Amino acid sequence: MTGTGICTGRVAAVTGAGRGLGRAHALALAAEGARVVVNDLGVAPDGAGASAGPAQRVADEIRARGGQAVAHTGDITTTDGAASLVTTALEAFGRLDALVNNAGFLRDRMLVNLGEDDWDAVIRVHLKGHFLPLRHAAAHWRAEAKAGRTPDARIVNTSSGAGLFGSVGQGNYSAAKAGILGLTLVAAAELAPYGVRVNALAPAARTRMTEQTFAATMAAPAAGEFDAMAPENVSPLVVWLSSAESAGVTGRVFEAEAGRITVMEGWRPGPTVDGKSRWTPAEAGAAARELLAAAGEPRPVYGAR
């Protein structure tokens, strides 16, 4: 494998790494010297079915290129599956330095048609599927720190523009991805004493999850042209965030698309007024109108007309 070796000596676990962004991240980490645990349950775009094939193929591809990798096909939305992800890294490579939470699927519906099962399934795979691997990896790193072996560990969580701004027809997905941002901020604060840095990424790329939604704008380019929507464009930032070179960077959210990287600044206080006493409803409404007139316009929800 070729690269600068920015992750040489490190071990990274990537969830949902059998296809799309996860596969690109796993290959890029391996190319930069990381030993990789390739997790994928092998489900369809809506979460149906399961297959060991995708994870094994990516692990085989890494090894064929001269890298080191093992496949993990456990369900990271369960305690046992998430725990075994960490155990697999420790048993195969003796350590764990980075966790890239990427697994997910879609069940898109307008809110009035969104069933409880579709809500629960998407929240489970995205939000719970971030929490459980993070929890088990963090427990390992805390134990290492308490034993006097403070790690230089990294967690990269995967959010979305839908989590930042909302997306019509994706209430479940948008809520899960917004939740991941809150989880990232809390984890960054709680895990800093144990040598763990936690950041989030909102990528835009051509994957199984986006090919229907963005078919017109995410089509493959003509031969020789820059493929702006290739998943591989997002991976260099993931590699850097997983490496020791990202020291001091934590609790941040990045957008990555094509050749563009943006630091997202999130919710910040805008115009404010203090009446020094309780408002009447009419007074509160008048004050709100004045504040809104002084505030910037919010970014439109994706897909809104």
Side-chain angles (χ1 to χ4, degrees), residues 244-269:
E245 295 298 314
S246 60
V249 180
T250 197
R252 306 306 293 261
V253 179
F254 298 85
E255 271 197 323
E257 176 183 354
R260 178 176 58 83
I261 295 172
T262 304
V263 176
M264 306 305 290
E265 296 190 327
W267 293 103
R268 294 177 180 273

Side-chain angles (χ1 to χ4, degrees), residues 3-296:
T4 63
I6 192 174
C7 286
T8 296
R10 294 176 73 78
V11 174
V14 185
T15 69
R19 304 178 180 93
L21 283 164
R23 173 182 175 273
H25 300 341
L27 293 173
L29 284 159
E32 292 295 341
R35 292 165 287 174
V36 183
V37 179
V38 179
N39 163 266
D40 203 287
L41 196 56
V43 300
D46 65 352
S51 170
Q56 191 60 58
R57 283 193 292 272
V58 174
D60 289 345
E61 186 175 358
I62 289 172
R63 289 194 292 267
R65 297 183 183 188
Q68 297 183 58
V70 294
H72 176 268
T73 57
D75 183 353
I76 47 81
T77 70
T78 67
T79 294
D80 289 346
S84 71
L85 178 68
V86 176
T87 301
T88 296
L90 299 178
E91 291 180 348
F93 303 121
R95 59 187 298 127
L96 177 65
D97 302 283
L99 168 65
V100 179
N101 283 316
N102 171 78
F105 57 69
L106 296 177
R107 293 190 183 178
D108 293 351
R109 298 285 190 279
M110 300 298 280
L111 286 171
V112 295
N113 297 319
L114 183 61
E116 186 176 353
D117 288 346
D118 290 334
W119 173 273
D120 289 345
V122 169
I123 295 295
R124 173 178 55 81
V125 71
H126 288 280
L127 192 50
K128 190 176 182 182
H130 272 60
F131 161 64
L132 285 176
L134 183 157
R135 175 190 175 194
H136 286 283
H140 164 67
W141 288 323
R142 182 182 64 174
E144 288 291 287
K146 288 186 173 182
R149 300 183 296 270
T150 301
D152 191 13
R154 304 287 185 269
I155 297 173
V156 182
N157 291 328
T158 304
S159 183
S160 168
L164 293 164
F165 306 113
S167 180
V168 170
Q170 294 187 312
N172 48 2
Y173 179 72
S174 296
K177 290 302 191 183
I180 287 168
L181 296 175
L183 176 64
T184 297
L185 300 180
V186 172
E190 290 187 359
L191 302 182
Y194 308 121
V196 185
R197 305 294 174 256
V198 188
N199 296 284
L201 180 72
R206 187 193 315 103
T207 69
R208 290 193 307 165
M209 287 173 54
T210 61
E211 62 185 359
Q212 297 300 320
T213 304
F214 302 111
T217 57
M218 290 191 171
E225 293 183 0
F226 174 53
D227 188 352
M229 290 296 101
E232 291 78 9
N233 298 332
V234 175
S235 299
L237 179 59
V238 173
V239 172
W240 183 79
L241 288 171
S242 301
S243 76
E245 295 298 314
S246 60
V249 180
T250 197
R252 306 306 293 261
V253 179
F254 298 85
E255 271 197 323
E257 176 183 354
R260 178 176 58 83
I261 295 172
T262 304
V263 176
M264 306 305 290
E265 296 190 327
W267 293 103
R268 294 177 180 273
T272 186
V273 62
D274 184 354
K276 302 299 184 183
S277 63
R278 183 181 303 155
W279 303 91
T280 68
E283 290 170 339
R289 290 287 186 188
E290 290 184 7
L291 294 174
L292 289 169

